[in-house]
Amino acid sequence: MPRTLILSLLFSSSLCAQSAYCVDTNLDILYSLDLNTGAVTQIGSTLSGGIMGTPADLCWKDDTSQMWTIDLAGGEAGTIDPTTGLFTTVWNTGVSGWQAMAWDHTTSQFFCHNQNGQLHRLDPLTGVLTLVGTIAGALITGMDVDATGRLWALNFSGSLTELDKNTGLALGPPIPTTVINFQSLSINPAGVWYGISTLTDSLYTIDPSTGTCTLVGPNTGTQFVKGMVIAASPAPGFATNQTLGFGCGKQSASFYESFGAATGFDLDNSVLTMLPAGGGAYIVLNSIGAFLPVGTIATPISLALTDDSEVVQTFTTGTFPGATSFNICSNGYVSIGSNGTSFTPDVPGFLNATNTAWRSWHDFNPAIPGSGQVKYEESAGAIVVTWDGVWDFGGASAANANTLQMQFYPSGQVTFAWGTMSHLGNGHLVGYSPGGNSLDPGNTDLSALGAGVITLTGADVAPLQLTAATRPVLGTSWNLTTGSVPATGVIGLDIFGVADPGVLDLAFLGMPGCQLRTTLDVMNAWIVGGPTHNYSFAVPALPLSLVGFQLFTQSLVFQVPPVNPFGAITSNGIKGTLGDT
């Protein structure tokens, strides 16, 4: 039996009234949408107030009963009034190219997909945008989260894919759809899947198990529908899951500080050194190293760099682990292989670059008459690249000069050293990231590091994650999965409780950064046997008074060697609200 029909039979009795909407980005109009016929009725212009450019998608934030969108061009995220079409900015992501947006009712976060293949989380309370991961070459133009919390995506070329909410990667092979050019995906609480194709300007239902698309009807009067949403929430008695907090144990292989404006750059006349710790790991500190005057290592070579360009410098006498040459970009970065020549410092681009890179990223132009040059020195003792008074793009005088240096040693040590910077032009991003997709360690205030250190692992380690595979319906099994279990884990605990103590930092127990999101009422031990662990709770069928009862759960894993004094890490918590449907 098709999954759509199964879910429809299970949940049809639990639905409240639902309304549907779509937005045409050629006409800049919000419409109401008849799910039985595909017919649309104009509501109003999304250009009200002149703020919204191109709504990339629509989604329904069910806990506040609000319609949300994100601007493809400007990056603003906010609400659309379903009675007028009026857009109100809540947050500005500062990122363009958005194509799809979904509300995750299990984590209380938005997921947003960009035309560059990147999946991000957007926190509705803080506006913090966090990169999840990248699917190279994918153009995801519709997303939604189903009743169990699984994130689904429609590819414009004609396929349906489940996305991993922790990595952004596909879970399993794509399912081809019988219609292409979908620009939206919306799943109602009954489990019926809908999409609108701009190839036919029509509404379809989609069978997620086969990809078969069934015509509902044309959206007569529309030109290019970029998003649709079903404004519906489960009725009382519907079992739900809600993610609480986050897991700990995360370890990062990258670090960075992003300066949105050049005026905020505060690393002038300072140094930052990365000391190798084996296996690709580093310790980063600011108490070792110094700027080397140009010519200290060898006779300098002025590199033939122009605006937004790179050169490949093959080593002759110098050495560096894992490299035989460097790609040196005019815009302040050195890579082992090409990472392009972008002039705009961008955290997602930095974390997901193809190749390992060290950056003091900014829009420089050594080709401007009067500008200093990028100079290269090499000896058996070191390789040094210096932006020696290089001007900002658009610079007109020596006030635009910037001096910075990167030193590479045979041991793997790398030193960043800055002289005088202009504080003009666009923003800066300073940091290091190995090649490929990397976890976001968050912005670090490098000037405030003092006597502290940043510890980088050779490879990212994701935090302990807990997800629910099913909802806690009376008479069924509430199935849960602990993921990203570290290879050093030895013993785990499944914890159940009847309340959330809300302890947001267990540093007083020797578990800094870890949270406690359930009381310790029932605990089951298990032996770690891999990166995932499945467990369940048998939800009683009776009494019916259990409907609405809240049950909390969390995982804990002990590690050898330990990563903190207590010796264990915790996952996020999950609050399950019991229901009869």
Side-chain angles (χ1 to χ4, degrees):
M1 183 180 293
R3 185 186 305 167
T4 299
L5 179 57
I6 294 172
L7 289 172
S8 180
L9 292 172
L10 283 174
F11 302 138
S12 59
S13 63
S14 66
L15 299 183
C16 63
Q18 61 184 24
S19 302
Y21 304 88
C22 64
V23 63
D24 188 314
T25 54
N26 275 6
L27 301 174
D28 300 309
I29 292 174
L30 178 71
Y31 297 90
S32 62
L33 173 67
D34 190 324
L35 293 176
N36 296 312
T37 66
V40 298
T41 302
Q42 180 174 330
I43 294 174
S45 172
T46 57
L47 294 180
S48 303
I51 302 171
M52 172 60 67
T54 305
D57 199 357
L58 299 176
C59 64
W60 187 254
K61 189 173 181 288
D62 57 5
D63 60 341
T64 57
S65 297
Q66 292 175 308
M67 185 191 305
W68 277 67
T69 188
I70 190 166
D71 191 359
L72 185 153
E76 296 89 352
T79 61
I80 292 183
D81 187 325
T83 64
T84 65
L86 177 67
F87 173 73
T88 302
T89 299
V90 179
W91 302 110
N92 192 334
T93 66
V95 178
S96 61
W98 299 113
Q99 291 289 329
M101 185 181 197
W103 169 250
D104 184 4
H105 56 91
T106 67
T107 63
S108 298
Q109 299 275 298
F110 291 106
F111 282 97
C112 307
H113 218 284
N114 198 284
Q115 62 194 20
N116 61 11
Q118 295 176 347
L119 178 69
H120 296 253
R121 279 192 304 272
L122 176 64
D123 190 319
L125 300 179
T126 65
V128 172
L129 188 71
T130 303
L131 177 67
V132 178
T134 304
I135 300 181
L139 181 59
I140 302 301
T141 49
M143 290 196 307
D144 205 358
V145 175
D146 68 16
T148 63
R150 299 165 73 184
L151 177 62
W152 295 90
L154 274 173
N155 197 314
F156 184 70
S157 62
S159 62
L160 179 67
T161 306
E162 182 182 0
L163 300 182
D164 188 318
K165 294 191 289 188
N166 298 316
T167 67
L169 301 179
L171 292 171
I175 302 168
T177 55
T178 56
V179 174
I180 63 173
N181 293 20
F182 280 108
Q183 289 280 354
S184 57
L185 173 65
S186 194
I187 307 171
N188 77 4
V192 181
W193 298 45
Y194 294 89
I196 292 176
S197 170
T198 52
L199 181 67
T200 60
D201 296 319
S202 298
L203 175 69
Y204 296 83
T205 58
I206 304 170
D207 187 324
S209 60
T210 65
T212 299
C213 303
T214 303
L215 177 67
V216 175
N219 311 130
T220 304
T222 63
Q223 294 182 5
F224 194 87
V225 171
K226 187 69 184 73
M228 71 164 286
V229 67
I230 298 172
S233 302
F238 191 84
T240 61
N241 297 310
Q242 181 181 351
T243 299
L244 303 174
F246 49 82
C248 62
K250 178 179 177 180
Q251 299 178 62
S252 297
S254 308
F255 79 92
Y256 69 89
E257 182 172 7
S258 178
F259 303 90
T263 53
F265 188 87
D266 61 358
L267 297 175
D268 300 63
N269 303 306
S270 68
V271 296
L272 195 69
T273 293
M274 302 174 59
L275 296 178
Y282 282 99
I283 295 173
V284 184
L285 64 170
N286 64 7
S287 57
I288 295 177
F291 186 92
L292 300 176
V294 174
T296 299
I297 297 300
T299 301
I301 300 170
S302 292
L303 300 178
L305 287 167
T306 59
D307 186 33
D308 304 332
S309 64
E310 71 173 353
V311 296
V312 178
Q313 200 69 25
T314 301
F315 304 160
T316 54
T317 58
T319 59
F320 187 80
T324 57
S325 64
F326 282 148
N327 287 60
I328 302 170
C329 176
S330 60
N331 291 324
Y333 47 95
V334 175
S335 308
I336 303 177
S338 180
N339 279 320
T341 60
S342 172
F343 58 83
T344 302
D346 169 55
V347 171
F350 161 76
L351 291 171
N352 294 281
T354 303
N355 295 299
T356 297
W358 297 262
R359 303 188 190 236
S360 187
W361 192 0
H362 176 73
D363 192 3
F364 299 111
N365 185 1
I368 298 176
S371 171
Q373 300 299 300
V374 182
K375 297 176 180 177
Y376 179 86
E377 303 169 56
E378 180 182 340
S379 72
I383 297 169
V384 178
V385 185
T386 306
W387 281 255
D388 189 15
V390 176
W391 288 11
D392 308 300
F393 174 81
S397 72
N400 288 99
N402 299 269
T403 297
L404 65 100
Q405 187 177 81
M406 298 182 198
Q407 307 164 12
F408 300 87
Y409 295 89
S411 66
Q413 175 182 322
V414 179
T415 294
F416 297 82
W418 294 271
T420 300
M421 305 292 283
S422 74
H423 302 275
L424 299 172
N426 68 341
H428 293 255
L429 188 150
V430 172
Y432 158 82
S433 187
N437 291 345
S438 298
L439 295 177
D440 189 343
N443 201 57
T444 299
D445 186 348
L446 297 174
S447 65
L449 187 59
V453 300
I454 302 170
T455 300
L456 305 180
T457 50
D460 287 328
V461 177
L464 197 64
Q465 300 275 353
L466 180 62
T467 57
T470 60
R471 296 174 299 107
V473 178
L474 299 188
T476 69
S477 180
W478 187 27
N479 298 326
L480 303 121
T481 299
T482 305
S484 300
V485 179
T488 54
V490 289
I491 297 175
L493 288 178
D494 305 326
I495 308 170
F496 289 98
V498 296
D500 172 17
V503 181
L504 302 184
D505 194 340
L506 293 170
F508 66 95
L509 288 180
M511 303 169 68
C514 299
Q515 301 185 350
L516 181 63
R517 304 311 302 261
T518 179
T519 49
L520 310 178
D521 298 316
V522 177
M523 292 183 282
N524 300 311
W526 45 278
I527 303 298
V528 172
T532 61
H533 163 71
N534 299 317
Y535 68 103
S536 62
F537 181 86
V539 184
L542 296 171
L544 292 179
S545 59
L546 286 173
V547 172
F549 181 83
Q550 294 178 344
L551 185 62
F552 299 81
T553 186
Q554 190 172 14
S555 293
L556 178 146
V557 172
F558 288 93
Q559 294 174 267
V560 176
V563 295
N564 56 40
F566 188 82
I569 58 175
T570 57
S571 72
N572 55 282
I574 292 181
K575 178 178 74 174
T577 301
L578 277 56
D580 55 6
T581 52

